[in-house]
Amino acid sequence: MNIHETLSRLGLKLPGAPRPVGSYVPARQAGDLIFVSGVLPFRDGKIEQPGKLGRELTVKEGAAAAQLAMLNGLAILQEMMGDFSCLNQVVRLTGHVASVEGFVDQPTVINGASDLLVELFGDAGRHARLALGAFELPLHAPIELELIVQVSSTKASP
């Protein structure tokens, strides 16, 4: 089963790759690693459910935002690689969670992204991870993700 079939089975699909909101590229390849820049939970060009965990968003809503941000990250990878056949493994995921003081469930929130990677790629989707709280994130986003993957080759590098 390919990634798009699995996404369809989950009731999900990859959006168009989001465009940078600053002076950077969405992803950069160095050797056999691709570093995906910070990805936000955009839907139709807008942040889905802006705010902070523990105030405007529940843990469940935060996990959904993390999943959406990961879908955007995967869309960036697809645009860069052409397809996912050259993806060897997900190496590391860093999840920043906009949180109110005292909120400590950042790991549970970032599971929304981690669980999706494992569902889509199996053992190759298991990764090292950092989940941390942030006082503020760009555009009032509740989540920002960074991703590093290892590939065997790609269609083209930006």
Side-chain angles (χ1 to χ4, degrees):
M1 184 176 291
N2 72 33
I3 184 175
H4 296 287
E5 290 170 346
T6 304
L7 285 168
S8 180
R9 181 177 52 79
L10 296 171
L12 302 169
K13 68 177 189 168
L14 289 186
R19 298 291 142 227
V21 296
S23 297
Y24 61 91
V25 294
R28 174 68 70 196
Q29 185 168 354
D32 65 347
L33 298 177
I34 296 177
F35 297 79
V36 178
S37 296
V39 184
L40 304 175
F42 280 115
R43 187 181 312 276
D44 300 323
K46 295 181 183 172
I47 297 294
E48 180 89 355
Q49 290 192 293
K52 291 187 180 184
L53 275 289
R55 188 172 61 211
E56 290 87 7
L57 283 87
T58 65
V59 170
K60 184 177 180 179
E61 291 167 328
Q67 182 182 72
L68 177 57
M70 181 52 64
L71 289 170
N72 284 309
L74 293 170
I76 291 167
L77 282 172
Q78 179 177 269
E79 187 173 84
M80 184 174 201
M81 298 185 312
D83 63 40
F84 292 94
S85 63
C86 63
L87 189 138
N88 292 342
Q89 65 180 329
V90 179
V91 176
R92 181 179 166 103
L93 169 64
T94 301
H96 305 267
V97 180
S99 309
V100 297
E101 184 177 349
F103 184 84
V104 296
D105 288 327
Q106 291 85 358
T108 306
V109 170
I110 298 303
N111 281 345
S114 292
D115 292 347
L116 180 61
L117 289 171
V118 173
E119 184 77 32
L120 294 174
F121 301 113
D123 281 340
R126 296 191 185 284
H127 51 273
R129 187 178 92 173
L130 174 66
L132 63 133
F135 184 70
E136 294 288 344
L137 291 173
L139 306 175
H140 301 288
I143 306 294
E144 184 169 9
L145 301 178
E146 300 172 73
L147 189 64
I148 302 170
V149 300
Q150 181 189 45
V151 296
S152 54
S153 65
T154 61
K155 174 179 77 169
S157 293

